[in-house]
């Protein structure tokens, strides 16, 4: 027997409770990791959207200037800058895809841990129900014994 939360309980049950608590803590950490990864992916999605919008705005502006007439040097500089924006969008898309993969991996780790926690809690619940059943059985035996003694005294 061991003391847990002010109650005397079997050692195996207290150890299982410790495992359940540990599994719960691991799950909470994995949830936080998943949420952080999800937020990072969302932030990268917004960055990509911002880059793409800026690229489109710059293209429109460059087209307007081209219609008004610009020199070949200025046109080349615009084209070069658009190329840099395209490269930045590509890199941001790559970062976003990687962030989404990491978030998916962390979600899978969290779900696996959630299944482990539920399995341990189910085992704890099963042990608790078995203990209650044993206690009920002992109580019934004691009540039957009392009834038998009362009957014998009559």
């Amino acid at each position: 027997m061991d003391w847990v939360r002010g109650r005397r309980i079997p050692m195996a049950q207290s150890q299982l409770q410790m495992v359940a608590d540990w599994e719960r803590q691991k799950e909470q950490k994995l949830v936080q990791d998943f949420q952080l990864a999800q937020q990072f992916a969302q932030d990268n999605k917004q960055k990509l959207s911002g880059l793409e919008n800026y690229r489109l705005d710059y293209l429109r502006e460059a087209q307007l200037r081209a219609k008004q007439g610009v020199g070949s040097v200025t046109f080349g500089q615009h084209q070069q800058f658009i190329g840099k924006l395209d490269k930045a969008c590509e890199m941001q898309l790559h970062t976003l895809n990687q962030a989404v993969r990491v978030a998916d991996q962390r979600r899978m780790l969290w779900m696996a841990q959630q299944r482990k926690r539920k399995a341990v809690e189910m085992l704890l619940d099963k042990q608790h129900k078995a203990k209650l059943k044993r206690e009920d059985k002992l109580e019934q035996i004691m009540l039957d014994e009392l009834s038998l003694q009362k009957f014998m005294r009559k």
Side-chain angles (χ1 to χ4, degrees), residues 95-106:
T95 302
L96 172 61
N97 288 336
Q98 192 173 11
V100 167
R101 280 193 301 275
V102 168
D104 285 344
Q105 289 170 348
R106 290 193 178 165

Side-chain angles (χ1 to χ4, degrees), residues 59-109:
L59 268 172
R60 285 186 200 115
E61 185 67 31
Q63 287 174 346
L64 283 175
R65 287 186 183 166
K67 287 180 183 177
Q68 294 171 355
V70 292
S72 63
V73 173
T74 305
F75 184 75
Q77 289 172 341
H78 285 295
Q79 289 299 103
Q80 190 177 24
F81 187 67
I82 291 169
K84 287 181 181 180
L85 287 174
D86 287 341
K87 183 68 175 167
C89 286
E90 269 182 51
M91 291 172 61
Q92 190 60 40
L93 180 61
H94 175 72
T95 302
L96 172 61
N97 288 336
Q98 192 173 11
V100 167
R101 280 193 301 275
V102 168
D104 285 344
Q105 289 170 348
R106 290 193 178 165
R107 181 180 54 80
M108 297 302 281
L109 289 171

Side-chain angles (χ1 to χ4, degrees), residues 115-132:
R115 286 189 296 273
K116 283 167 113 178
R117 176 195 49 85
K118 286 180 179 180
V120 171
E121 286 178 350
M122 187 173 71
L123 186 56
L124 257 176
D125 189 51
K126 185 176 177 183
Q127 281 185 350
H128 181 70
K129 285 178 181 175
K131 180 183 173 226
L132 290 177

